[in-house]
Amino acid sequence: MKMQIEDQIYGSFELQAVFQELIQSRLFQRLKGIHQGGAVIIADPSISLTRYEHSIGVSLLINKLGGSLEEQLAGLLHDLSHTAFSHLVDYVLGYENEDYHEQIFAAYLSDPEIVEILSRYGFDYRSFLDLEKFKLLDYPMPSLCADRIDYTLRDLYHLKKISREDIDWFVDGLVVEEGRIFVKSRRHANWFRIQFAYLNDSYFNGKDSQQASQFMSSTVKQYYQSGLIQKADFGLTDLQFIAKIESLSGLEIRSMYSHWLRNGKDKVELKFKNRKVLPDISYTY
């Protein structure tokens, strides 16, 4: 049995049943509540893109590029362990490499439901523990990879900064050689470099994102240090996490944020891992 899926930027795909079962699993459905942009939704609730759409998109892009079924599944599962507000836990607990979700990935991947689904279709969950072996999915900067390409295209499309026509043109300019992603021309390389720089400068490191992340980090850190928020609470969805903060404070989160903006914000600037301008992108004719 196969499933039909319609993605807003890559179009229609027919996928094997293993994808349908993984997508419908409890842990994967939880990603619908983990926003891709993290705390920026506190400042702008209209930015509603989630890790759910991104994870499916990465898998579909790998499919489109001719990647193996195993690597498509790796793409689907790669963000399974992201916690509330994506990287908030890293800022609160001081994980400078923003890798808390990577450190707990094995625990999420070994969830009995995930293990059972993969096993029933002939896959061992342990083969997905080392995501770095999947070079279409993940490859170090400044090279391209499906994860980096998808969140760049998807976020900018969601922000209405690029069109479906732009995306189709760029994706048509991708080529795979020796298991890695390249672009066909300097024009494609320059276009992506410009888009990636804009996403970093104006979104990830933009005013709204910076302020909202600083607010959430400073607020949650106080509750965590006092013991009112536990490490396990980061496993909640964003809205569940907000509900916990509102219950502890007796205030609505937007009111708390507005008060924080008016009355002396933390001046510590957060730095985002891999949110730098690509210095170069290899391309091939």
Side-chain angles (χ1 to χ4, degrees):
M1 180 180 177
K2 294 187 176 182
M3 70 175 294
Q4 194 75 21
I5 191 165
E6 185 72 28
D7 182 71
Q8 67 175 179
I9 70 171
Y10 302 126
S12 182
F13 288 77
E14 188 175 67
L15 301 176
Q16 295 189 30
V18 60
F19 290 90
Q20 181 175 14
E21 293 200 35
L22 287 171
I23 288 170
Q24 292 176 344
S25 69
R26 174 183 57 84
L27 287 182
F28 197 87
Q29 286 291 310
R30 175 186 159 274
L31 294 180
K32 289 180 176 179
I34 309 296
H35 288 84
Q36 181 79 0
V40 72
I41 65 161
I42 301 296
D44 185 354
S46 71
I47 301 177
S48 58
L49 190 64
T50 70
R51 295 273 169 183
Y52 176 86
E53 293 104 323
H54 166 64
S55 296
I56 293 174
V58 171
S59 181
L60 296 180
L61 180 56
I62 293 171
N63 177 316
K64 196 174 184 70
L65 294 172
S68 68
L69 181 60
E70 186 180 37
E71 188 148 12
Q72 292 173 48
L73 290 170
L76 186 72
L77 297 169
H78 82 284
D79 271 355
L80 195 66
S81 56
H82 261 292
T83 49
F85 292 99
S86 291
H87 289 289
L88 174 65
V89 64
D90 295 303
Y91 311 143
V92 173
L93 302 184
Y95 285 79
E96 294 184 0
N97 291 325
E98 297 185 20
D99 60 355
Y100 180 77
H101 70 290
E102 295 172 9
Q103 296 191 26
I104 63 173
F105 182 65
Y108 275 72
L109 196 61
S110 61
D111 177 84
E113 185 181 16
I114 301 296
V115 171
E116 191 277 328
I117 293 170
L118 289 172
S119 177
R120 191 150 31 84
Y121 289 94
F123 296 97
D124 186 334
Y125 82 96
R126 289 168 293 193
S127 66
F128 299 100
L129 288 172
D130 180 15
L131 293 177
E132 291 184 358
K133 72 180 182 181
F134 300 107
K135 299 189 184 306
L136 293 181
L137 166 61
D138 186 29
Y139 206 81
M141 296 272 282
S143 298
L144 293 172
C145 65
D147 183 20
R148 198 170 300 122
I149 291 170
D150 183 80
Y151 74 65
T152 301
L153 299 181
R154 193 170 297 274
D155 285 358
L156 290 175
Y157 181 74
H158 188 71
L159 294 168
K160 297 181 170 54
K161 299 300 180 183
I162 60 174
S163 66
R164 273 290 301 270
E165 289 74 19
D166 293 327
I167 292 169
D168 290 344
W169 169 80
F170 179 74
V171 172
D172 285 344
L174 297 176
V175 62
V176 174
E177 293 186 358
E178 298 181 356
R180 287 181 51 198
I181 302 174
F182 297 89
V183 289
K184 293 178 180 178
S185 72
R186 186 182 298 274
R187 183 183 172 201
H188 287 88
N190 288 338
W191 183 86
F192 189 78
R193 188 183 297 111
I194 290 169
Q195 307 311 318
F196 192 81
Y198 176 86
L199 186 67
N200 290 321
D201 295 341
S202 300
Y203 182 50
F204 291 129
N205 289 312
K207 182 179 178 181
D208 282 349
S209 182
Q210 280 284 312
Q211 289 185 339
S213 295
Q214 290 166 14
F215 161 72
M216 285 296 290
S217 298
S218 60
T219 300
V220 173
K221 186 175 290 187
Q222 294 178 58
Y223 286 124
Y224 181 78
Q225 291 174 344
S226 68
L228 294 173
I229 283 180
Q230 308 292 323
K231 189 179 288 188
D233 291 323
F234 290 100
L236 299 171
T237 65
D238 294 354
L239 292 182
Q240 289 170 337
F241 199 84
I242 286 174
K244 175 137 194 175
I245 294 174
E246 291 180 337
S247 175
L248 290 170
S249 67
L251 298 169
E252 191 266 337
I253 195 74
R254 292 281 295 171
S255 297
M256 293 175 66
Y257 182 55
S258 297
H259 178 80
W260 180 84
L261 288 174
R262 292 192 306 267
N263 295 279
K265 305 181 291 291
D266 288 346
K267 299 302 181 182
V268 178
E269 182 180 4
L270 299 175
K271 295 297 183 182
F272 294 92
K273 179 185 177 185
N274 287 343
R275 307 304 194 215
K276 59 184 179 181
V277 178
L278 287 174
D280 190 22
I281 300 175
S282 299
Y283 64 93
T284 181
Y285 292 105

